[in-house]
Amino acid sequence: MKKWVILCLAAMLAGCSSERRAAEETASGGSKGCDIFEQCGTEASPSAKGASFREAYEALNGTKRGEHTVRTVAIPENNPFQEITGEEAAALLDQDGEFYLYIGDEACPWCRSVIEQAVQSAMDAGIETVYYVQIWDEDGNEVLRDAYALDEDGNPVQKAAGTEAYQKMLAAFGDSLSEYTLTKEDGTKTDLGEKRIYAPNFFHVKDGKLVGFTTGTSDQQEDAYEELSDQMKADEKQMLDAFFGV
């Protein structure tokens, strides 16, 4: 786990019956999800070393970030989520067998919207392990993905290079991922010509091939901090139950 647990948070940013359809499913809500740390993330603050998955997520409960209150989540202590590095996740693609992978971050408000249902669905399905890769370090730096920003002329400039592991995951998962776009001040979008792993993204892999994908987020949810309606919760449950095979 991170050496530091992040204590403040800012605003931002279906299941299928067959494996083939699940592998081709695009992200719910398009590119809805966390991308840039300054828009999605938090200010880093020191905390206990070696925080568990549950401790890291619950440490942010009820903290303030500007006008927003970070969503409170409750994670069972004995949950199947196990953190690994991006390199370890990419290595799994070379192996036979089946695994589930969640890419996100406790500092991601969209991730916090779905994580309780994701944990419950995985446990209901009897999944022993869901591998977890974080997208940011304790200072908000990308530790997996590449990152771009727009210069004063509106041209994309690379701020961080994605790891080899990330490029390998893009190659494996690209058909199900959203396009990587940046929004200019006038509201127009610039397509960077590549796919993007946003957060949250959930992947189900068998023998190196993607057979299931979902964001777990309801199309009805427009704001990462809004209270989840009964319909949003039902949408999450339907997608994540189907993804994990409940």
Side-chain angles (χ1 to χ4, degrees):
M1 267 295 162
K2 293 180 179 178
K3 293 182 179 179
W4 309 98
V5 176
I6 301 167
L7 297 180
C8 306
L9 200 52
M12 171 95 191
L13 281 59
C16 302
S17 59
S18 70
E19 291 180 352
R20 181 176 180 182
R21 182 181 171 192
E24 296 173 349
E25 185 74 6
T26 56
S28 174
S31 60
K32 183 191 298 182
C34 276
D35 184 21
I36 302 172
F37 181 82
E38 287 78 5
Q39 295 173 329
C40 279
T42 74
E43 297 173 353
S45 298
S47 183
K49 272 187 177 183
S52 68
F53 180 83
R54 176 184 63 82
E55 291 168 338
Y57 273 79
E58 292 186 355
L60 297 177
N61 287 347
T63 56
K64 293 287 187 178
R65 175 67 178 189
E67 63 182 13
H68 297 286
T69 300
V70 177
R71 188 183 306 278
T72 292
V73 297
I75 308 294
E77 184 172 358
N78 296 318
N79 66 80
F81 283 68
Q82 174 184 326
E83 185 177 357
I84 60 174
T85 66
E87 289 70 25
E88 290 171 325
L92 289 171
L93 292 170
D94 295 326
Q95 302 175 18
D96 293 335
E98 179 179 10
F99 68 91
Y100 292 88
L101 174 66
Y102 160 52
I103 295 181
D105 203 281
E106 67 261 23
C108 160
W110 287 105
C111 299
R112 298 182 71 85
S113 297
V114 305
I115 196 59
E116 287 181 306
Q117 183 59 58
V119 171
Q120 187 61 56
S121 294
M123 294 176 67
D124 288 346
I127 305 300
E128 294 184 358
T129 303
V130 179
Y131 293 112
Y132 167 46
V133 174
Q134 295 191 11
I135 57 175
W136 300 313
D137 67 12
E138 61 270 17
D139 297 316
N141 301 310
E142 289 283 351
V143 294
L144 178 69
R145 311 173 300 177
D146 51 13
Y148 288 80
L150 296 177
D151 63 18
E152 58 184 13
D153 296 320
N155 300 312
V157 177
Q158 189 178 55
K159 308 297 288 186
T163 63
E164 290 185 11
Y166 181 63
Q167 297 305 319
K168 187 172 183 177
M169 284 188 272
L170 285 183
F173 304 151
D175 289 345
S176 290
L177 299 175
S178 296
E179 299 293 335
Y180 188 8
T181 61
L182 296 177
T183 303
K184 300 180 181 180
E185 291 185 359
D186 62 4
T188 60
K189 293 184 180 297
T190 296
D191 189 341
L192 298 183
E194 63 181 75
K195 298 289 187 173
R196 183 67 164 171
I197 294 179
Y198 289 91
N201 276 180
F202 295 87
F203 304 95
H204 180 195
V205 178
K206 284 185 178 180
D207 299 329
K209 297 184 182 299
L210 182 66
V211 296
F213 170 74
T214 189
T215 66
T217 55
S218 169
D219 286 335
Q220 295 197 11
Q221 186 180 359
E222 297 296 334
D223 187 300
Y225 291 96
E226 68 180 295
E227 182 178 354
L228 298 177
S229 67
D230 289 343
Q231 184 59 57
M232 291 176 194
K233 292 177 182 178
D235 290 345
E236 289 184 1
K237 178 173 171 54
Q238 180 182 19
M239 285 185 284
L240 289 161
D241 277 357
F243 173 78
F244 285 112
V246 176

